Amino acid sequence: MSHNFLQAEKQINDSVLFPAFDLTTVPGEVVAICTSVNVREQLIDILLRKTLLSNGEIQHNPDEALGFFFLIDGVYERLTVKESLKFFRQLYKSEVIIEDIVRLVQLDSKINKKLKQLTYSEKKRVQLANLLIQNPEIYIMEELDQNLDVESKRIFTKVLKQLRTAQKTILILTGQIESAVTFADKIFRLDDKGIHLLQTEEENPDEDFSEVNDNVEDKIAQPIRFEKIPTKVNEKIVLFDPPEIDYIESTEGQTFLHIKGENFPCSFTLNELEDRLLPFGFFRCHRSYIVNLQKVREVITWTRNSYSLVLEDQNKSSVPLSKSKMADLKGMLGLK
């Protein structure tokens, strides 16, 4: 029940949406691909065979069914929950027991309610129940927990755990790293530069990661250096490569890494990060900000003493540049 992307590449006109990459998903493991909306939509259309790869192929056993959980999926709102599940059971000639699925997604009390009477999160649980009734070997899940309430997220987490145990193959497509960290065993980022694995590990709540990291560096012989920057997402530690970071902000005593429109708390102070990131082209542009100069698109002068740096990230973020740092920046750039 593995699902293999082999040198999969997609071009649109003269631009490369994503270059050739290899990825294998295996039974009993949840894999997430973090990517943009455009790439996500293209991947789904390719998996649905609505469009083709420019190069490469996707391999899976044709006897193994694919099941899709879409971000936007129409439901028959005039049907009750029970009627909807019966419809899908008949449609897919499924032998799954409806009552078991209803209990799993905790819709027992809603079984005779029409779908139009349910909340958004309850409708998503019905959508998940419909997919479980299909009982495919391979699950393709788009933005699994977007806008879900806390209870539904807990239910989805429990369902994925059971699917792992049942040795199902699960691929999550999302634009949110936090969502990927919540559900997936392995997380990959895919963009026009290719695919790479995002490193994570379970957090030890009794351990200060910054101290552990410093101790590791003390014990490692030079010139080896631990370069990744740790952040905490839910109960996992996520390690980012410095070039991934757009900018860093300190507010109310907490440091945050800003990466592709998301922000992640970091245990290091700005002073510590300034020292660690200087070799990677980062610049302390303000007492509360460090910026990745490779991501800066332009410098804007607002007043005689007020400046901002505009980044080329997806949000066109604006980061303050203090007057004293403006002189330093000009020196770095060789400007007068």
Side-chain angles (χ1 to χ4, degrees):
M1 290 191 291
S2 64
H3 198 68
N4 302 321
F5 293 81
L6 301 176
Q7 289 296 289
E9 179 182 0
K10 183 64 178 180
Q11 300 178 15
I12 297 180
N13 299 323
D14 294 329
S15 63
V16 176
L17 193 61
F18 53 84
F21 73 93
D22 295 317
L23 177 65
T24 298
T25 59
V26 297
E29 184 176 72
V30 180
V31 173
I33 297 179
C34 287
T35 189
S36 67
V37 174
N38 289 340
V39 173
R40 187 183 77 222
E41 290 178 346
Q42 283 292 319
L43 284 173
I44 290 173
D45 283 349
I46 289 166
L47 290 166
L48 288 170
R49 299 184 179 178
K50 291 182 178 181
T51 187
L52 300 174
L53 288 166
S54 302
N55 293 294
E57 61 179 322
I58 299 176
Q59 291 183 342
H60 82 273
N61 187 333
D63 294 329
E64 296 173 347
L66 271 68
F68 290 83
F69 182 95
F70 298 110
L71 174 60
I72 300 175
D73 194 22
V75 293
Y76 302 102
E77 298 217 332
R78 293 184 179 181
L79 298 180
T80 65
V81 172
K82 188 173 185 178
E83 290 168 344
S84 175
L85 299 181
K86 279 187 173 180
F87 171 78
F88 274 87
R89 190 173 188 272
Q90 292 172 355
L91 180 65
Y92 288 94
K93 297 180 174 57
S94 173
E95 297 180 357
V96 174
I97 299 173
I98 288 178
E99 289 73 16
D100 293 343
I101 299 299
V102 170
R103 281 193 295 271
L104 183 58
V105 299
Q106 295 186 23
L107 286 173
D108 312 58
S109 62
K110 310 289 182 178
I111 190 69
N112 293 315
K113 280 189 174 290
K114 292 185 182 295
L115 269 60
K116 64 182 179 181
Q117 297 175 302
L118 303 182
T119 67
Y120 172 82
S121 291
E122 288 168 347
K123 289 178 183 177
K124 297 300 283 186
R125 280 148 65 180
V126 173
Q127 183 184 345
L128 178 61
N130 290 337
L131 180 57
L132 294 172
I133 283 177
Q134 295 175 40
N135 194 27
E137 284 75 28
I138 300 171
Y139 287 70
I140 310 296
M141 313 186 88
E142 178 189 18
E143 295 295 3
L144 188 57
D145 63 342
Q146 184 167 304
N147 299 323
L148 287 187
D149 58 32
V150 174
E151 177 66 9
S152 295
K153 288 184 180 181
R154 184 188 65 77
I155 292 168
F156 276 48
T157 300
K158 180 180 178 181
V159 169
L160 284 186
K161 184 176 181 180
Q162 293 198 15
L163 292 176
R164 282 188 185 93
T165 302
Q167 291 296 293
K168 300 294 186 179
T169 300
I170 304 163
L171 176 63
I172 296 174
L173 303 175
T174 179
Q176 303 299 317
I177 292 177
E178 183 172 353
S179 176
V181 170
T182 299
F183 296 111
D185 304 306
K186 286 184 180 178
I187 305 164
F188 295 86
R189 192 194 290 280
L190 176 64
D191 54 29
D192 59 357
K193 297 179 179 61
I195 195 168
H196 70 268
L197 178 67
L198 193 67
Q199 293 185 337
T200 65
E201 58 184 71
E202 293 295 332
E203 178 186 351
N204 182 343
D206 299 322
E207 198 168 63
D208 182 345
F209 189 83
S210 62
E211 292 182 4
V212 172
N213 187 35
D214 288 335
N215 290 338
V216 169
E217 287 196 76
D218 290 341
K219 294 176 182 178
I220 295 178
Q222 296 297 325
I224 297 174
R225 179 176 179 178
F226 187 82
E227 297 176 343
K228 292 183 181 291
I229 305 299
T231 64
K232 295 179 181 179
V233 179
N234 297 328
E235 296 181 354
K236 290 184 179 179
I237 292 170
V238 183
L239 304 176
F240 288 105
D241 289 315
E244 294 183 85
I245 303 169
D246 298 320
Y247 67 97
I248 304 163
E249 176 184 16
S250 178
T251 177
E252 297 181 354
Q254 175 65 63
T255 304
F256 293 92
L257 308 184
H258 291 261
I259 301 170
K260 293 187 179 297
E262 296 185 73
N263 61 78
F264 304 90
C266 180
S267 60
F268 293 125
T269 66
L270 275 190
N271 288 337
E272 291 170 331
L273 289 171
E274 183 179 11
D275 291 339
R276 287 173 178 270
L277 294 173
L278 183 62
F280 299 96
F282 283 75
F283 176 63
R284 184 74 172 266
C285 59
H286 185 276
R287 67 176 180 274
S288 299
Y289 290 86
I290 298 174
V291 67
N292 183 350
L293 287 178
Q294 303 299 320
K295 303 293 182 75
V296 174
R297 171 61 64 185
E298 58 183 317
V299 181
I300 295 179
T301 302
W302 296 108
T303 67
R304 187 174 180 181
N305 297 314
S306 177
Y307 310 93
S308 290
L309 301 174
V310 178
L311 308 189
E312 56 183 9
D313 62 351
Q314 62 187 31
N315 295 328
K316 304 298 180 186
S317 304
S318 178
V319 176
L321 174 64
S322 64
K323 180 181 178 181
S324 61
K325 295 296 184 178
M326 180 62 169
D328 294 339
L329 180 60
K330 284 184 175 181
M332 292 177 65
L333 297 176
L335 303 174
K336 296 182 179 179

